[in-house]
Amino acid sequence: MNLQTLPGLFISHGSPMLALDPEQVGPALHRLSINLPKPNAIIVMSAHWESQALEVSTATRPETWHDFRGFPAELYEIRYPASGNIELSERLLERFANANIHANANSTRPRDHGVWMPLLHMYPEADIPVIEISLPMQGSAEDIYQIGKTLAELRQEQILLIGSGSITHNLSELSWQTRQLATPTWASNFRNYIVQKLQQHDFETVLDWENLPYLEKNHPTLEHLAPLFFAMGTGHRFSIVHSSFSMGSLGMDIYRFD
């Protein structure tokens, strides 16, 4: 088999409504998928699986988890029935052990919307094995970056690595009624600063997240930014796949690391 190297991705997955109302990012995800070789497997670190230590899903067919409330009934009917891959999950656990990264197997965790929602637009057939790994919130930004580096070689096996979060994520500042509000400067400046540093390959500044400008306004909690650190570990060459804002200040960027 002639395997091709896939990139690592950071995907801003936005509101659960993205599944029903794709806005600009749904078509961008679709275009991205058709321009990549079809993955043999997909590994996703999601903002919505926080844990003490790193965990790896070993479920053979995880349930689709609608881990949100107050949305239209049709959203709760969506299923993403992609299988897991126990052999690959075991390889991940072995790889982490060899890198002195403590990781636990988890065979019961359902698949949260940070995983299935973007994949719904990229690979709607759900015919590619998907393994979710957790976001270890006790770890530093450098620790999460090292998790990405530990898995980076798997890209050469035509395995797609994804960090799923949001480049900005302050739900209290969103306009849920008016979708196309002007983007506030604190959101656009934060996003532009991150992009500038990534373009300069100044990963160190981004990993020093506590000193990022407008951090608390854009990320009152860190879980939606942290998957970016994972994606940064998967490759060195940064490029922007898509950039937009939804509901005023919700950044919907997609970044690629080769």
Side-chain angles (χ1 to χ4, degrees), residues 196-214:
Q196 179 189 51
K197 296 305 176 185
L198 292 174
Q199 287 173 332
Q200 295 168 350
H201 202 259
D202 185 1
F203 284 16
E204 198 172 306
T205 294
V206 179
L207 293 174
D208 184 23
W209 58 270
E210 292 172 302
N211 292 309
L212 294 173
Y214 308 102

Side-chain angles (χ1 to χ4, degrees), residues 9-14 42-51 54-57 65 67 109-119 130-137 144 147 161-166 169 222-228 230-231:
L9 301 174
F10 173 70
I11 294 175
S12 298
H13 60 249
I42 301 169
I43 300 168
V44 186
M45 175 184 279
S46 167
H48 294 282
W49 185 5
E50 297 178 70
S51 61
L54 177 63
E55 297 191 21
V56 176
S57 172
W65 187 17
D67 52 326
R109 168 82 184 189
R111 191 172 277 152
D112 61 69
H113 76 276
V115 180
W116 60 261
M117 198 168 58
L119 294 183
V130 178
I131 296 171
E132 182 173 5
I133 64 175
S134 72
L135 175 59
M137 292 305 290
I144 297 168
I147 292 169
L161 305 179
I162 298 174
S164 177
S166 283
H169 191 265
L222 192 63
E223 78 284 344
H224 277 76
L225 183 62
L228 173 62
F230 169 76

